[in-house]
Amino acid sequence: MILVLLGLLVLVVAAVVAVAGIVTNTGAAHELTNAFSVFGHHVTGSTGALFLFGIVVGAVGMLGLGLLLTGARRASRRGRDARHGLRDSRRETAAVAERRDDLAEQRDSAREQAASAARDRDDLAGERDDLAAQRDEVARQRDELMRGQGGAHEQTAGTRTGPLPPKDDRDPLRGDEPDPDGPRGSHPSGYYSGSR
């Protein structure tokens, strides 16, 4: 505000000096004695008229200087705003790029977890199939055993449900020789052991 008041004061003083210089230097007493020309145009008249032309040229020069400074100020302001906008844009671009990298990392991690879960699922399915094949093989062997024993007794899942085979004192590997330890007795588990 102080600069505006100071500028207004200087302008008023300059106007007063210009009017005083023009008014006091007119008339026949103040005629130009020497030829004065600008771009081939001869200026005639009083020294006050010459002073007036000087004021007009100065005012036009000041107008040009004011336009130049105003344009420079606007260009500077636009440049500053553009720099601030560019800085903000770069900041936002960096934040978006960082967010994009985080999302890409999360996506890759999720893909790896999904692939690992699929491998685990396939491994478990393979183990299940192996166990099913073993179960089927055990069932097949059990059926063959049952067919081979000719139905003397029934077994289901390793549990004896039928009668025990008839008591025989002879060992099939030894032939018809009697047992030197004496006759065998039955054991609660179904096996025969020699009496001691």
Side-chain angles (χ1 to χ4, degrees):
M1 184 72 180
I2 294 175
L3 289 178
V4 172
L5 292 175
L6 185 62
L8 185 61
L9 180 65
V10 169
L11 184 61
V12 168
V13 169
V16 168
V17 170
V19 168
I22 292 169
V23 170
T24 57
N25 289 304
T26 57
H30 298 286
E31 287 289 326
L32 289 175
T33 55
N34 295 327
F36 184 79
S37 66
V38 177
F39 297 117
H41 177 69
H42 294 287
V43 177
T44 58
S46 67
T47 54
L50 182 62
F51 187 64
L52 179 62
F53 289 139
I55 291 173
V56 170
V57 169
V60 170
M62 289 302 293
L63 178 65
L65 182 62
L67 290 174
L68 175 69
L69 291 176
T70 302
R73 223 177 287 128
R74 284 184 183 172
S76 173
R77 190 178 307 126
R78 285 181 187 157
R80 186 175 59 244
D81 292 343
R83 283 191 299 274
H84 286 283
L86 180 62
R87 190 179 312 129
D88 293 343
S89 175
R90 284 180 179 166
R91 216 177 285 137
E92 290 173 5
T93 302
V96 167
E98 184 177 341
R99 179 71 178 144
R100 183 196 64 217
D101 293 342
D102 289 344
L103 288 174
E105 194 173 306
Q106 290 175 1
R107 181 198 63 208
D108 294 342
S109 175
R111 283 182 180 170
E112 288 175 8
Q113 289 176 354
S116 175
R119 282 193 300 270
D120 291 346
R121 185 192 65 223
D122 293 344
D123 291 345
L124 289 174
E127 289 177 14
R128 184 195 65 214
D129 293 344
D130 291 344
L131 288 173
Q134 290 175 1
R135 183 197 64 212
D136 293 343
E137 180 63 23
V138 166
R140 186 188 60 77
Q141 289 175 357
R142 184 195 66 212
D143 291 344
E144 286 180 5
L145 265 171
M146 288 177 65
R147 273 189 236 117
Q149 290 179 356
H153 63 278
E154 296 180 12
Q155 285 185 341
T156 56
T159 304
R160 189 179 302 273
T161 60
L164 292 173
K167 186 175 177 182
D168 189 6
D169 289 338
R170 293 177 296 160
D171 187 1
L173 297 177
R174 289 191 189 172
D176 291 336
E177 297 177 12
D179 189 3
D181 293 333
R184 293 185 190 187
S186 66
H187 190 270
S189 66
Y191 294 105
Y192 297 103
S193 63
S195 58
R196 296 183 187 238

